[in-house]
């Protein structure tokens, strides 16, 4: 995924907090606690304390944050003629949500039915009968609840918009206001720190501090984001203030989100660091490791070297292969960082890096959710 920043002045890149964006992540953690190690206890306690009517309404709308992270939670990036800056309070950002026109709101809310056309846009389901029928068909495939919601949204956007705003306000009253009071100082401090890095050490240093998955390309014209998802965004989207916004998140890990909707300001929503969180592994290295382990001979090599180091000759004898064949397979495992080599006199001993293999399941989960 890339973000075009060619010609963007330094002041066009901002770091700031967004209460509505963070509400999205708290709701996601409530609905998918398995994505967020360490948050399961909080999710269980918060869910148990919800009023039944609020829990029912959250279930009705959970497609906005469970399967995708709806861009409705970052309305500051899409308001036509706006300054592109996040609101200081949840109420301010809900007012920005009200400023989106009906077409923006409907298409964005129905993102789960429009993922195939997310990058390029397309006809609005409010005005195009074919698109409307397709949206309703895809919504029905997700279940009767989402089909009913989609139909209601297309029939009467105004009432659904009011319903969604009230839902977010009720979440604020029930649990989010207390959470935001506790986490906002740390998020604001992180945003200030990254802004200072940008000002004094440049964009390279700021990106490295945000995530190892972010890198500035050599020509300085694009930011590359190491994600399995593909997409392209520009800091000069029409109808919105030019720029790029970085928003820190307390509940975000392992997700690293990039808003790249056409004609919206790009936003990078990143998790703030924590000592218990592992460093992100590149998608390329993750692919190498999974491909390396997909071959039965390399699986046997891992088994043989898991307990003690072996030479190439020893491994060839154990597996009934030639030494050159074993060497080729060992080279693949070494490139993937799964096997270590240590020379002892005339011999090179190979041993499985048990820690690297043990981390692989966590790396796989982090990589696909990033």
């Amino acid at each position: 995924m890339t973000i075009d920043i060619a010609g963007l002045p330094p002041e066009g890149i901002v770091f700031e907090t967004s209460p509505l964006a963070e509400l999205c992540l708290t709701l996601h953690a409530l609905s998918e606690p398995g994505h967020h190690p360490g948050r399961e206890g909080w999710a269980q306690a918060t869910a148990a304390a919800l009023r039944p009517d609020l829990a029912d309404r959250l279930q009705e709308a959970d497609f906005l944050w469970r399967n995708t992270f709806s861009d409705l939670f970052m309305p500051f990036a899409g308001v036509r003629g706006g300054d592109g800056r996040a609101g200081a309070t949840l109420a301010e950002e809900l007012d920005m949500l009200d400023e989106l026109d009906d077409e923006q709101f409907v298409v964005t809310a129905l993102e789960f039915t429009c993922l195939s056309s997310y990058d390029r846009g397309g006809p609005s389901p409010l005005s195009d009968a074919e698109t409307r029928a397709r949206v309703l068909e895809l919504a029905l495939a997700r279940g009767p609840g989402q089909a009913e919601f989609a139909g209601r949204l297309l029939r009467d956007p105004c009432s659904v918009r009011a319903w969604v705003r009230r839902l977010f306000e009720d979440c604020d009253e029930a649990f989010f206001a207390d959470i935001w009071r506790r986490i906002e100082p740390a998020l604001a401090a992180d945003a200030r720190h990254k802004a200072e890095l940008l000002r004094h050490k440049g964009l390279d240093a700021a990106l490295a501090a945000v995530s190892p998955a972010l890198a500035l390309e050599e020509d300085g014209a694009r930011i590359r984001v190491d994600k399995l998802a593909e997409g392209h965004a520009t800091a000069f989207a029409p109808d919105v203030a030019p720029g790029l916004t970085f928003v820190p998140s307390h509940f975000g890990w392992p997700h690293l989100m990039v808003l790249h909707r056409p004609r919206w300001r790009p936003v990078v929503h990143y998790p703030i660091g924590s000592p218990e969180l592992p460093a992100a592994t590149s998608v390329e290295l993750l692919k190498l490791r999974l491909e390396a382990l997909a071959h039965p001979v390399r699986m046997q090599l891992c088994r043989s070297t898991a307990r003690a180091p072996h030479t190439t000759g020893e491994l060839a004898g154990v597996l009934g292969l030639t030494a050159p064949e074993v060497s080729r397979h060992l080279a693949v495992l070494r490139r993937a960082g799964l096997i270590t080599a240590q020379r002892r006199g005339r011999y090179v001993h190979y041993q499985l890096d048990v820690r690297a293999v043990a981390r692989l399941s966590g790396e796989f989960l982090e990589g696909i959710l990033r």
Side-chain angles (χ1 to χ4, degrees):
M1 186 173 291
T2 57
I3 305 171
D4 185 0
I5 58 169
L8 184 68
E11 59 270 19
I13 299 175
V14 297
F15 290 83
E16 54 192 8
T17 63
S18 167
L20 186 55
E22 191 66 16
L23 174 60
C24 175
L25 270 299
T26 61
L27 292 173
H28 175 70
L30 277 176
S31 60
E32 291 286 0
H35 288 192
H36 301 270
R39 306 279 186 215
E40 294 95 338
W42 169 86
Q44 291 174 2
T46 302
L50 292 177
R51 299 192 317 268
D53 68 298
L54 179 55
D56 289 344
R57 285 184 289 147
L58 287 175
Q59 187 173 11
E60 185 177 352
D62 74 350
F63 61 86
L64 292 173
W65 53 80
R66 179 190 287 271
N67 303 313
T68 60
F69 299 106
S70 173
D71 295 340
L72 289 180
F73 289 94
M74 297 183 185
F76 62 86
V79 172
R80 300 289 180 253
D83 62 5
R85 304 301 296 268
T89 66
L90 184 65
E92 285 184 22
E93 294 200 315
L94 291 177
D95 288 343
M96 294 179 189
L97 186 60
D98 290 341
E99 291 182 45
L100 297 179
D101 60 45
D102 280 350
E103 183 172 323
Q104 285 180 295
F105 188 96
V106 168
V107 172
T108 307
L110 294 176
E111 182 178 321
F112 70 97
T113 68
C114 306
L115 286 176
S116 61
S117 60
Y118 181 95
D119 291 313
R120 63 181 184 275
S124 167
L126 287 177
S127 56
D128 184 81
E130 184 177 344
T131 303
R132 183 188 189 94
R134 180 62 175 159
V135 163
L136 292 173
E137 178 187 354
L138 292 172
L140 183 60
R142 293 290 185 93
Q146 293 193 10
E148 193 278 332
F149 188 95
R152 188 155 48 97
L153 180 60
L154 291 170
R155 289 191 306 271
D156 189 2
C158 185
S159 68
V160 175
R161 296 181 67 153
W163 185 90
V164 168
R165 175 165 183 147
R166 180 60 185 271
L167 175 65
F168 293 162
E169 290 172 338
D170 287 350
C171 288
D172 189 47
E173 181 181 345
F175 62 89
F176 183 71
D178 179 61
I179 291 172
W180 186 248
R181 277 192 296 271
R182 289 188 288 108
I183 68 175
E184 190 276 337
L187 296 178
D190 185 88
R192 286 193 300 270
H193 172 64
K194 301 295 195 301
E196 287 299 307
L197 280 176
L198 175 65
R199 184 175 300 112
H200 298 295
K201 295 189 176 181
L203 184 55
D204 267 327
L207 293 177
V210 168
S211 170
L214 298 174
L216 185 65
E217 294 193 346
E218 289 184 6
D219 60 3
R222 284 171 302 280
I223 296 171
R224 185 166 295 278
V225 188
D226 187 32
K227 287 174 65 75
L228 283 172
E230 295 183 1
H232 178 72
T234 175
F236 296 93
D239 303 324
V240 295
L244 169 62
T245 300
F246 289 85
V247 176
S249 171
H250 177 80
F251 281 82
W253 190 88
H255 307 292
L256 175 69
M257 287 80 72
V258 180
L259 190 162
H260 59 287
R261 180 178 293 276
R263 302 183 66 188
W264 286 47
R265 178 186 178 104
V267 181
V268 178
H269 198 190
Y270 65 94
I272 59 174
S274 178
E276 73 272 16
L277 300 182
T281 299
S282 74
V283 171
E284 189 58 37
L285 179 57
L286 180 60
K287 285 183 184 177
L288 279 176
R289 289 180 171 177
L290 293 175
E291 290 167 359
L293 293 174
H295 197 287
V297 170
R298 294 195 282 272
M299 288 284 285
Q300 288 292 334
L301 286 172
C302 288
R303 182 178 185 276
S304 297
T305 58
R307 295 176 178 83
H310 290 73
T311 65
T312 302
E314 289 173 326
L315 292 168
V318 169
L319 299 180
L321 300 172
T322 66
E325 286 178 300
V326 171
S327 292
R328 285 195 294 272
H329 286 295
L330 286 172
V332 173
L333 290 167
R334 289 190 67 190
R335 282 196 298 272
L338 298 174
I339 290 277
T340 61
Q342 184 176 8
R343 178 171 291 279
R344 296 176 184 172
R346 298 175 49 212
Y347 300 100
V348 177
H349 289 79
Y350 298 92
Q351 187 164 19
L352 183 71
D353 187 338
V354 176
R355 290 184 178 180
V357 176
R359 288 195 304 266
L360 187 55
S361 61
E363 290 172 347
F364 177 73
L365 181 63
E366 190 274 339
I368 61 174
L369 293 179
R370 186 187 309 160

